[in-house]
Amino acid sequence: MRAYDIIQKKRDGGVVDEAELKFLVDGLLSGEVKDYQLTAFLMAVYFRGMQDAEVVALTKTMLHSGVVVDLGDIPGVKVDKHSTGGVGDKISLPLAPAVAACGVPVPMISGRGLGHTGGTLDKLESIPGFRVDLSLDDYRRLVRDVGCCLIGQTKEVAPADKKLYALRDVTATVDCIPLISGSILSKKLAEGIDGLVLDVKVGSGAFMKTRDKATTLARTMVAICAGMGKAVVARLTSMEEPIGSFVGNALEVGESLDVLEGRGPADTIALTVELGAEMLVLGKVARDLDDGRARIRRSLQDGSAREKFGQIIAAQHGDRGVLDDRRRLPQAPQKTDFVAGARGRVVAVDSEAVGVASLLLGGGRLRAEDSIDPRVGLHIHARLGDVVEKGQPIATLHHADRGVADALARLQKAYVLADPAVPFTAPSLFVDRIAG
Amino acid sequence: MRAYDIIQKKRDGGVVDEAELKFLVDGLLSGEVKDYQLTAFLMAVYFRGMQDAEVVALTKTMLHSGVVVDLGDIPGVKVDKHSTGGVGDKISLPLAPAVAACGVPVPMISGRGLGHTGGTLDKLESIPGFRVDLSLDDYRRLVRDVGCCLIGQTKEVAPADKKLYALRDVTATVDCIPLISGSILSKKLAEGIDGLVLDVKVGSGAFMKTRDKATTLARTMVAICAGMGKAVVARLTSMEEPIGSFVGNALEVGESLDVLEGRGPADTIALTVELGAEMLVLGKVARDLDDGRARIRRSLQDGSAREKFGQIIAAQHGDRGVLDDRRRLPQAPQKTDFVAGARGRVVAVDSEAVGVASLLLGGGRLRAEDSIDPRVGLHIHARLGDVVEKGQPIATLHHADRGVADALARLQKAYVLADPAVPFTAPSLFVDRIAG
């Protein structure tokens, strides 16, 4: 087998089989296949795409390049949720304990934030002491004993994906649905899950800006999971404005605690309930989505989800005192309002720009090696459809020593106000559902 | 400037400017741009193509990555010919001395054979003592004193092309007209020429199998030369059967000597006359093509072209005695006929397979580092349209110790015989002409 022939086959629109993909991916790690051959292949994939069977084979190969956790000895159907990344997307934080509290084990390996999107790990780490760098043994133990564990990707998981992603990142081949799908799922499926709920974001703050692209990504990922024998369902959800009222790490933990106390913004609650219901159905704890929704809502109302979050925080070395005293979360020293320049209705939000505004305050990272400031971010007051008066705050910046002017400039462009007399309908939060 | 942005631009169908191409090519040599970024770019070019201005810029950049010979102090308009490679294509050997004998200096830097095609350098080296590895100083001196010099590409010429080609060769990006054009011309234009005649082969034995592709290649190369201020004309010529009667290195030298003595196969003569006429017109020695044809024919008849070849051989350390005694050329120890299995008319020849048959006897190389046997090859008796009787030789293999059975098997498949009663028209040798 020669890398050349595989590149040529894909270049000419052919279908590459599992043995060929394995040859490429294993060869990349062993050095037998050169980086410069792989990037030519990746660019050919960018133009020619991949059939479902090819993406399944690619995912399998990358998955098995590293450790695949076996949770088979833990009772129950293990289910995780993956979101393709958004602005203000803290859903994993209330969701994982709520689902675990309802009896479905949640083994969750998450990523860090990059660019305009935040990451679950960064948010969790704003809880004093919280550790996401547990060993896979600890991870297995906590899924069994606590019913949930929230950690970061270890070096043992899908090393081929790591190398492939690094090459894609410098060769303009990241934005390619088969490669995105393979990358996400080769990491997710290493968790030892039986089922996966996919939250595919679509809109101004999502990686997939159009419904067509988001649908293709969702269908591809559903096909891969199904092809690998996993229960799966994908939800397309709107990312036309930031989720909830807060963007920023400690601020989003605060909002998550609100949800776990039966309060919080309607959209954050709705996403938690809906995705949680899907997880309970896949986890065979709920008989249908309505039953699932009721169970998740109850766990948020009766404190059981909040209690589960406390257990998770304690098990992962965090200060569970934050549940009772929010002031234990890091606080930004200063606040500055971003106010409306004129009266008007919020008719469009460039959520990506809102995410960048938070990044500029120090709440995100431009490059993987950047450090973040957990304290900073945005408190958003005006949502799509709201009418604001001139001088009324649209958002409040929580900041420390940097980025305020730049962040304000971004927000200025991000919010489009229009004549309140013109009718406006806010987009639905739930766009589509694609079952396995 | 970042390689990423240039890759992305080309990926998305944009036009890359000269500064960007220079950044990529210079960066490749300096190491600032990584091999794996360049191959992704090359694959994007494969899919998106390049506009003429881009190919001109690429060619310029690769050309100026090395030495560009200046022949400005040598009187006359310096003209070379480049053929895109065929089977039995020994035209450079009679052509260069004929054109030089007519008063147009011919500075010619050639390549070696690879795969099914032979190379001018290999053919010349079958003349005992002939050296193609002269220095650029010697090259300049011989163009001035002898009117012609035939050498190989030195390391100083277009090093960027060498590196780029090596990467294309292992990433299935060789077969891409803008890249082919840039590669050919960045080397050719380093010769110090004022004009160039392009012989673009089309047909079963050519790299361009279809007239469309050959036309695109010819137009691209003509556009590049014109864009760089060079006089240029391209001829599309048929490669539906091997050129002339011999394939193989010393055998082709023999046929070239025939032509220089006013004999030889009609097609070899016709190509020499036609391409020579074009060179004389570009070289401003002939007033038009008819005048050019007459001058070339005269040089072949009156012995002046043969005498010039003798001077070239002597100047390049070869044994000019081969002109008077063909037995000084290497001879294969054995001959075996390839005979017709039944009576029939030759209606198709897979010239590439004929080239491979010669390669299998040792007359060509599969990889650049292979050595070749100058003695071996094929003497072809039956041409397209000829009727052969059962048992009559279609070709005679000149061979040594290897490859006979394999070569015979290839020839068996290469020649298609049909009922002589069915009318047949052989393809025209001259397919098209594209002027600058």
Side-chain angles (χ1 to χ4, degrees):
Chain A
M1 206 174 280
R2 294 192 314 156
Y4 182 95
D5 300 318
I6 307 171
I7 301 168
Q8 188 179 38
K9 193 188 224 187
K10 181 46 70 186
R11 185 198 76 183
D12 295 342
V15 175
V16 175
D17 66 27
E18 189 166 343
E20 290 168 325
L21 285 164
K22 194 167 155 51
F23 177 84
L24 284 186
V25 171
D26 290 355
L28 178 69
L29 292 178
S30 73
E32 202 184 333
V33 172
K34 301 298 177 193
D35 291 3
Y36 51 76
Q37 294 183 300
L38 208 90
T39 56
F41 176 77
L42 294 172
M43 187 58 85
V45 170
Y46 180 90
F47 281 97
R48 293 294 194 178
M50 277 184 155
Q51 295 189 0
D52 285 347
E54 292 177 282
V55 196
V56 170
L58 176 66
T59 307
K60 257 189 207 170
T61 304
M62 295 202 297
L63 172 64
H64 292 294
S65 71
V67 167
V68 181
V69 180
D70 183 358
L71 302 178
D73 59 332
I74 299 173
V77 181
K78 275 74 67 184
V79 182
D80 188 17
K81 182 246 4 172
H82 178 79
S83 157
T84 60
V87 178
D89 185 0
K90 72 282 292 175
I91 303 302
S92 290
L93 274 62
L95 177 68
V99 170
C102 293
V104 171
V106 181
M108 188 181 271
I109 301 185
S110 301
R112 297 200 174 267
L114 191 62
H116 69 280
T117 64
T120 298
L121 299 183
D122 300 318
K123 293 167 194 175
L124 289 168
E125 282 182 340
S126 67
I127 299 168
F130 198 103
R131 281 183 50 197
V132 297
D133 59 346
L134 305 186
S135 70
L136 290 178
D137 280 343
D138 284 344
Y139 164 81
R140 210 179 281 111
R141 183 173 53 78
L142 293 188
V143 173
R144 189 184 60 227
D145 296 349
V146 181
C148 178
C149 187
L150 305 158
I151 62 166
Q153 201 192 338
T154 68
K155 285 198 174 134
E156 302 129 290
V157 168
D161 172 68
K162 209 177 189 85
K163 177 122 198 216
L164 214 65
Y165 189 87
L167 289 174
R168 288 167 60 206
D169 198 33
V170 292
T171 55
T173 48
V174 166
D175 182 19
C176 170
I177 284 171
L179 300 178
I180 292 170
S181 307
S183 177
I184 290 173
L185 294 176
S186 65
K187 287 173 292 194
K188 273 287 151 189
L189 298 176
E191 293 173 341
I193 49 174
D194 305 301
L196 184 64
V197 173
L198 294 161
D199 178 15
V200 178
K201 298 291 181 197
V202 56
S204 65
F207 287 107
M208 304 288 130
K209 308 287 184 204
T210 68
R211 182 161 171 181
D212 268 5
K213 283 194 78 173
T215 303
T216 306
L217 177 61
R219 284 193 192 286
T220 304
M221 291 201 293
V222 164
I224 296 173
C225 288
M228 296 180 73
K230 303 295 177 189
V232 61
V233 65
R235 299 294 294 255
L236 258 61
T237 65
S238 174
M239 183 38 67
E240 294 294 359
E241 65 178 329
I243 296 168
S245 300
F246 291 93
V247 177
N249 296 284
L251 292 171
E252 292 188 43
V253 171
E255 181 178 319
S256 301
L257 295 177
D258 289 345
V259 173
L260 290 166
E261 289 167 8
R263 303 179 286 129
D267 58 340
T268 309
I269 295 170
L271 282 163
T272 305
V273 169
E274 202 64 22
L275 298 172
E278 296 280 12
M279 290 174 76
L280 295 190
V281 171
L282 292 191
K284 299 189 193 300
V285 157
R287 60 180 179 279
D288 56 25
L289 282 178
D290 273 341
D291 182 33
R293 289 178 188 114
R295 286 171 189 264
I296 295 291
R297 270 198 208 97
R298 202 177 313 135
S299 78
L300 299 177
Q301 296 297 335
D302 68 10
S304 60
R306 181 172 180 272
E307 168 56 24
K308 184 57 72 182
F309 195 40
Q311 290 171 18
I312 296 167
I313 293 173
Q316 298 197 222
H317 313 283
D319 174 13
R320 67 170 290 169
V322 297
L323 264 65
D324 298 310
D325 182 2
R326 300 286 178 89
R327 286 168 308 180
R328 295 195 184 191
L329 288 171
Q331 316 275 332
Q334 288 177 280
K335 296 183 189 181
T336 300
D337 283 337
F338 162 60
V339 299
R343 181 171 193 266
R345 188 193 297 281
V346 179
V347 293
V349 183
D350 178 349
S351 321
E352 181 167 336
V354 176
V356 170
S358 175
L359 183 159
L360 291 169
L361 296 175
R365 53 172 73 80
L366 213 50
R367 289 159 305 191
E369 62 271 24
D370 294 345
S371 66
I372 63 161
D373 183 342
R375 305 171 296 172
V376 304
L378 306 167
H379 182 180
I380 293 164
H381 312 294
R383 300 181 56 83
L384 275 177
D386 289 352
V387 174
V388 291
E389 301 300 324
K390 180 176 176 178
Q392 186 183 330
I394 292 174
T396 302
L397 286 62
H398 290 231
H399 58 95
D401 50 357
R402 63 173 164 130
V404 179
D406 285 345
L408 283 170
R410 296 284 177 145
L411 292 172
Q412 198 72 51
K413 286 188 190 153
Y415 280 81
V416 180
L417 302 186
D419 182 352
V422 178
F424 175 80
T425 313
S428 306
L429 186 54
F430 298 102
V431 179
D432 204 356
R433 178 176 191 274
I434 294 162
Chain B
M1 206 175 279
R2 295 193 313 159
Y4 181 94
D5 300 317
I6 307 171
I7 300 168
Q8 188 179 38
K9 191 188 223 186
K10 180 47 70 187
R11 185 197 77 182
D12 296 342
V15 175
V16 175
D17 66 27
E18 188 166 345
E20 290 168 325
L21 285 164
K22 193 168 156 51
F23 177 83
L24 285 186
V25 171
D26 290 355
L28 178 69
L29 292 179
S30 73
E32 201 185 335
V33 173
K34 301 297 177 194
D35 292 2
Y36 51 76
Q37 295 184 299
L38 209 89
T39 55
F41 176 77
L42 294 172
M43 187 59 85
V45 170
Y46 180 89
F47 282 97
R48 292 295 193 176
M50 277 184 156
Q51 294 189 1
D52 285 347
E54 292 177 283
V55 195
V56 170
L58 176 66
T59 307
K60 256 188 207 172
T61 304
M62 295 203 295
L63 172 65
H64 292 294
S65 71
V67 168
V68 181
V69 180
D70 184 357
L71 301 178
D73 59 333
I74 298 174
V77 181
K78 276 73 68 182
V79 182
D80 188 16
K81 182 244 10 169
H82 177 79
S83 158
T84 59
V87 178
D89 184 1
K90 72 283 289 175
I91 302 303
S92 290
L93 273 62
L95 177 69
V99 170
C102 293
V104 172
V106 181
M108 189 181 270
I109 301 185
S110 301
R112 298 201 174 269
L114 191 61
H116 70 280
T117 64
T120 298
L121 300 182
D122 300 318
K123 293 167 195 176
L124 289 168
E125 283 181 341
S126 67
I127 299 168
F130 198 103
R131 282 182 49 196
V132 297
D133 60 345
L134 306 185
S135 69
L136 289 178
D137 280 342
D138 284 345
Y139 163 81
R140 209 178 282 110
R141 184 174 53 78
L142 293 188
V143 173
R144 188 183 59 226
D145 296 349
V146 182
C148 179
C149 186
L150 305 159
I151 62 167
Q153 203 192 336
T154 69
K155 284 197 175 136
E156 302 130 290
V157 168
D161 172 67
K162 207 177 190 85
K163 177 124 200 214
L164 214 66
Y165 189 87
L167 288 174
R168 288 166 59 207
D169 198 34
V170 292
T171 56
T173 48
V174 166
D175 183 19
C176 171
I177 284 172
L179 300 178
I180 293 171
S181 307
S183 177
I184 290 173
L185 293 176
S186 66
K187 287 174 292 195
K188 272 287 152 190
L189 297 177
E191 293 173 342
I193 48 173
D194 306 301
L196 183 64
V197 174
L198 294 161
D199 178 15
V200 178
K201 299 290 180 197
V202 55
S204 65
F207 288 106
M208 305 288 128
K209 309 284 183 204
T210 67
R211 182 159 170 180
D212 268 4
K213 283 193 77 172
T215 302
T216 305
L217 177 61
R219 283 192 193 286
T220 305
M221 290 202 293
V222 164
I224 297 174
C225 288
M228 295 179 72
K230 303 295 177 189
V232 61
V233 65
R235 298 294 295 254
L236 258 61
T237 66
S238 175
M239 184 38 67
E240 293 294 358
E241 66 178 329
I243 296 166
S245 301
F246 291 93
V247 177
N249 296 283
L251 293 170
E252 291 189 43
V253 171
E255 181 179 318
S256 301
L257 295 176
D258 288 346
V259 172
L260 290 166
E261 290 167 6
R263 302 179 286 129
D267 58 340
T268 309
I269 295 170
L271 282 163
T272 305
V273 168
E274 202 64 20
L275 297 172
E278 296 281 12
M279 290 173 77
L280 295 190
V281 170
L282 292 191
K284 299 189 194 298
V285 156
R287 61 180 179 278
D288 58 25
L289 282 177
D290 274 340
D291 182 33
R293 290 179 189 114
R295 286 170 189 265
I296 295 291
R297 273 199 206 94
R298 203 177 313 135
S299 78
L300 299 177
Q301 296 298 333
D302 68 9
S304 61
R306 182 173 181 270
E307 168 55 24
K308 183 57 71 182
F309 195 39
Q311 291 171 19
I312 296 167
I313 294 173
Q316 298 197 220
H317 313 286
D319 174 13
R320 68 170 289 169
V322 297
L323 263 66
D324 297 310
D325 183 1
R326 300 285 179 89
R327 287 169 306 179
R328 296 195 185 192
L329 287 171
Q331 317 274 333
Q334 287 176 282
K335 295 181 188 181
T336 300
D337 283 336
F338 162 60
V339 299
R343 181 170 194 267
R345 188 193 297 281
V346 179
V347 293
V349 183
D350 178 350
S351 321
E352 183 166 335
V354 176
V356 171
S358 175
L359 183 159
L360 292 168
L361 296 176
R365 53 171 73 80
L366 212 51
R367 288 161 305 191
E369 61 272 24
D370 294 345
S371 66
I372 62 161
D373 183 342
R375 304 171 296 173
V376 304
L378 306 167
H379 183 181
I380 293 164
H381 311 295
R383 300 181 56 84
L384 275 177
D386 288 354
V387 174
V388 290
E389 301 300 326
K390 181 177 177 178
Q392 185 182 329
I394 292 176
T396 302
L397 286 62
H398 291 232
H399 58 94
D401 49 356
R402 63 172 166 131
V404 178
D406 286 346
L408 283 170
R410 296 285 177 143
L411 291 172
Q412 198 71 52
K413 286 189 190 154
Y415 280 80
V416 180
L417 303 186
D419 182 351
V422 178
F424 176 80
T425 313
S428 305
L429 186 55
F430 298 101
V431 178
D432 203 355
R433 178 175 190 273
I434 294 163

